[in-house]
Amino acid sequence: MCKGAVLEQLGDVLRYDIWITDLLGQLRIFSIKSLNDHHIQEGIGFDGSSVPYFTDVNYSDFIAKPDMSTLRTYPWLVNGKKVAFVIADVYEGYTLRRSPRDPRWVAQRLERDLERRGLKILVSAEMEFFLFKKDSINSIPPLPLERDSGYISAKEGYFRAPPLDQLYEYRIELFKALDKLNLQPYKDHHEVAGGQIEVNIKADFPVRMSDKIQILKFAARQIADKMGLIATFMPKPVIDDNGSGMHIHMSLWRGNLNLFYDSEDEYAGISDITRYFIGGILEHAEALSAILAPTVNSYKRLISGYEAPVYVCWGRGNRSAMIRVPIYYKRASKQNINRARIEIRCPDPLANPYLAISALVYCGLEGVDKKIYPGDPIDDNVYHLPRGVREEMGIRELPENLKEALDYLENDGFLRKVLGSELIDAYIELKRKEWRDFMRTITRWEYERYFFA
């Protein structure tokens, strides 16, 4: 179908929103009245220097070129009319070079590298987030929906049914919207924390999956706003309850063959390729943390006792490990062969999906190329193992804070090579500024602890 026909199919559209993603993974939008052939073929100019760390002010003319495969309309009306949106690729003006700081370009390069190797990778994400009443943010710290009303106590929300689950109607509205947006949601439920839900969408290739994550987050916030709520993807918004993760599932394929499956493997039905892939990720775990857990707040989630991984290890069905191999089924049916995969549990929903997915896949592929052994699997609850036992088993700990993670990333030559030195330098500079801003801040906890000491 030609591009003109695609636009005609949309019918009467009020305006077109153009989406780009910055280094932090935050969505940036500008709007145009109509989308024509010139926009599609040549792109639309914008000030790249106003997007933090995209470019300098003396070379600020950038171009957003719509990827027409992403064009669709929002599942709600504005002033009684449809509004369309399209995700764009970012180019430098005049030279028309792809911007090396465009996160989407990193994921697109990854897919090209996979294609050259005759491989493809399927990725899915479990997106967790919290809902708050709008007026709750007037109190610090705020309590999420259900906790403020006493319906659900800390750590008691998993699979709760209505009326204790006060998020049920929201989940229905979000699921309907994601269906209309063709994100292919297949499951949602109340999560462990009060006011927390999880949404799962069908696996896809890295670029499309990253696009879907951005769309999901946007839709979740919009629908919450229309219902008098606030949806937050902050990793740890509640002090004494579980935080929110963005658990990433992956499987590696050659044609229709799932390379992660091995019927002869008695431990978890996985191949040596799977183990090497895990080994590559674990090899770079500390540096990856700066991308997968990218905020000061992320490390408030990565602490023992709240179902978030702290230790660099792997195991089957083990949610205390950084990487889990799901083992719901053992029978070697075609469906179960296709399900063979790994789950990386340390990413959180403020991670830039284009960078997070790409970094994980590149590290996994290095593990396959170099046959990096991941160590023996851990079937114990790692949280309960004494420090001495963990050290004997060679289990490392993830960084304790953002600064430590950035130090590891800065010294990781492999990630610098595959993600691009210019992007890595800009990302680290941006994140170090965030750390300095945090260190200059005096928190309420410090006043309460030290003011009268």
Side-chain angles (χ1 to χ4, degrees):
M1 183 180 294
C2 69
K3 294 168 183 174
V6 172
L7 292 175
E8 285 180 11
Q9 268 196 344
L10 297 182
D12 187 17
V13 172
L14 180 65
R15 56 199 269 140
Y16 293 82
D17 287 347
I18 313 299
W19 287 21
I20 60 174
T21 297
D22 66 17
L23 278 175
L24 293 177
Q26 294 177 352
L27 194 61
R28 305 276 175 163
I29 296 177
F30 66 93
S31 306
I32 56 177
K33 185 177 180 180
S34 61
L35 189 63
N36 57 42
D37 286 341
H38 176 79
H39 297 142
I40 295 167
Q41 294 167 14
E42 303 294 333
I44 307 152
F46 71 96
D47 176 9
S49 68
S50 291
V51 180
Y53 289 80
F54 248 27
T55 186
D56 294 325
V57 70
N58 60 322
Y59 191 66
S60 61
D61 291 343
F62 270 38
I63 291 172
K65 196 168 184 180
D67 178 347
M68 295 301 287
S69 70
T70 68
L71 179 68
R72 61 198 84 182
T73 57
Y74 297 125
W76 50 79
L77 300 178
V78 178
N79 295 333
K81 289 191 175 182
K82 292 187 289 185
V83 173
F85 72 97
V86 64
I87 298 172
D89 297 324
V90 177
Y91 290 77
E92 295 177 350
Y94 194 69
T95 66
L96 302 184
R97 181 180 76 132
R98 280 303 297 272
S99 169
R101 301 186 189 186
D102 177 8
R104 198 166 189 259
W105 176 225
V106 175
Q108 288 167 330
R109 291 202 316 267
L110 167 67
E111 289 193 359
R112 292 182 185 183
D113 291 342
L114 286 165
E115 187 177 357
R116 280 194 289 268
R117 297 170 62 134
L119 300 171
K120 58 185 179 182
I121 194 146
L122 285 176
V123 186
S124 65
E126 299 174 3
M127 299 296 295
E128 298 174 345
F129 60 96
F130 280 81
L131 289 158
F132 290 75
K133 292 179 180 177
K134 283 187 178 179
D135 59 5
S136 69
I137 61 173
N138 296 327
S139 60
I140 300 295
L143 280 174
L145 198 66
E146 301 168 329
R147 285 290 301 278
D148 65 348
S149 61
Y151 273 62
I152 294 177
S153 301
K155 290 175 167 288
E156 293 186 0
Y158 194 67
F159 278 15
R160 285 290 187 156
L164 292 181
D165 174 9
Q166 296 182 301
L167 314 179
Y168 188 74
E169 289 185 16
Y170 172 83
R171 289 195 282 118
I172 289 174
E173 291 304 311
L174 177 59
F175 203 94
K176 283 163 50 181
L178 298 181
D179 243 347
K180 290 178 182 177
L181 288 163
N182 197 30
L183 263 62
Q184 297 178 292
Y186 65 89
K187 184 172 72 172
D188 66 85
H189 61 83
H190 201 295
E191 254 298 343
V192 171
Q196 185 187 37
I197 70 171
E198 176 181 304
V199 180
N200 303 152
I201 49 182
K202 188 177 177 181
D204 213 326
F205 301 119
V207 175
R208 289 210 301 250
M209 190 65 211
S210 300
D211 291 343
K212 287 179 176 182
I213 290 170
Q214 295 297 77
I215 296 169
L216 185 154
K217 291 170 72 172
F218 180 82
R221 291 187 177 109
Q222 293 294 311
I223 292 169
D225 184 71
K226 294 175 189 300
M227 297 178 70
L229 304 171
I230 296 173
T232 178
F233 292 88
M234 183 178 179
K236 184 77 170 181
V238 184
I239 293 172
D240 61 348
D241 219 335
N242 284 21
S244 291
M246 180 177 72
H247 305 151
I248 295 177
H249 295 245
M250 292 183 169
S251 56
L252 186 67
W253 297 72
R254 178 172 283 116
N256 294 320
L257 178 66
N258 186 352
L259 299 179
F260 277 4
Y261 179 75
D262 184 352
S263 61
E264 301 298 318
D265 180 64
E266 289 294 326
Y267 177 69
I270 56 172
S271 64
D272 286 342
I273 287 176
T274 316
R275 287 175 167 80
Y276 298 145
F277 197 94
I278 292 171
I281 293 173
L282 297 184
E283 179 82 5
H284 295 275
E286 290 86 351
L288 281 167
S289 290
I291 296 170
L292 306 179
T295 72
V296 169
N297 182 256
S298 299
Y299 297 86
K300 307 288 178 73
R301 168 183 170 257
L302 296 176
I303 57 176
S304 181
Y306 292 93
E307 293 191 31
V310 183
Y311 303 108
V312 182
C313 58
W314 72 286
R316 63 179 184 184
N318 191 346
R319 284 175 166 82
S320 70
M322 177 179 162
I323 297 180
R324 178 179 76 98
V325 178
I327 51 165
Y328 293 110
Y329 312 99
K330 185 175 182 180
R331 185 169 60 86
S333 66
K334 181 179 179 181
Q335 190 175 25
N336 292 339
I337 291 171
N338 291 344
R339 282 176 175 150
R341 65 192 189 278
I342 63 171
E343 177 197 24
I344 303 96
R345 292 183 56 77
C346 55
D348 68 53
L350 287 189
N352 185 322
Y354 301 100
L355 300 183
I357 291 170
S358 299
L360 285 168
V361 175
Y362 274 125
C363 289
L365 292 175
E366 187 199 33
V368 173
D369 292 340
K370 295 184 176 180
K371 297 186 176 180
I372 298 174
Y373 183 64
D376 293 335
I378 307 298
D379 294 328
D380 300 295
N381 184 336
V382 190
Y383 299 139
H384 296 164
L385 294 177
R387 177 181 290 273
V389 174
R390 294 198 307 269
E391 289 175 351
E392 287 178 9
M393 299 172 77
I395 299 174
R396 312 191 310 274
E397 292 188 31
L398 290 171
E400 290 188 349
N401 56 55
L402 179 61
K403 180 186 181 299
E404 187 181 335
L406 289 169
D407 290 341
Y408 278 108
L409 179 59
E410 193 160 31
N411 292 307
D412 193 302
F414 176 76
L415 282 170
R416 178 176 293 276
K417 175 185 174 184
V418 295
L419 299 184
S421 186
E422 186 176 334
L423 181 144
I424 287 292
D425 286 340
Y427 182 86
I428 290 174
E429 186 178 349
L430 183 61
K431 284 296 170 181
R432 287 206 186 280
K433 180 181 182 301
E434 182 178 327
W435 176 256
R436 290 193 298 270
D437 290 344
F438 168 70
M439 291 302 293
R440 284 195 294 267
T441 302
I442 302 172
T443 64
R444 176 177 172 174
W445 182 91
E446 290 169 279
Y447 280 112
E448 292 175 349
R449 186 71 172 250
Y450 304 122
F451 195 77
F452 293 106

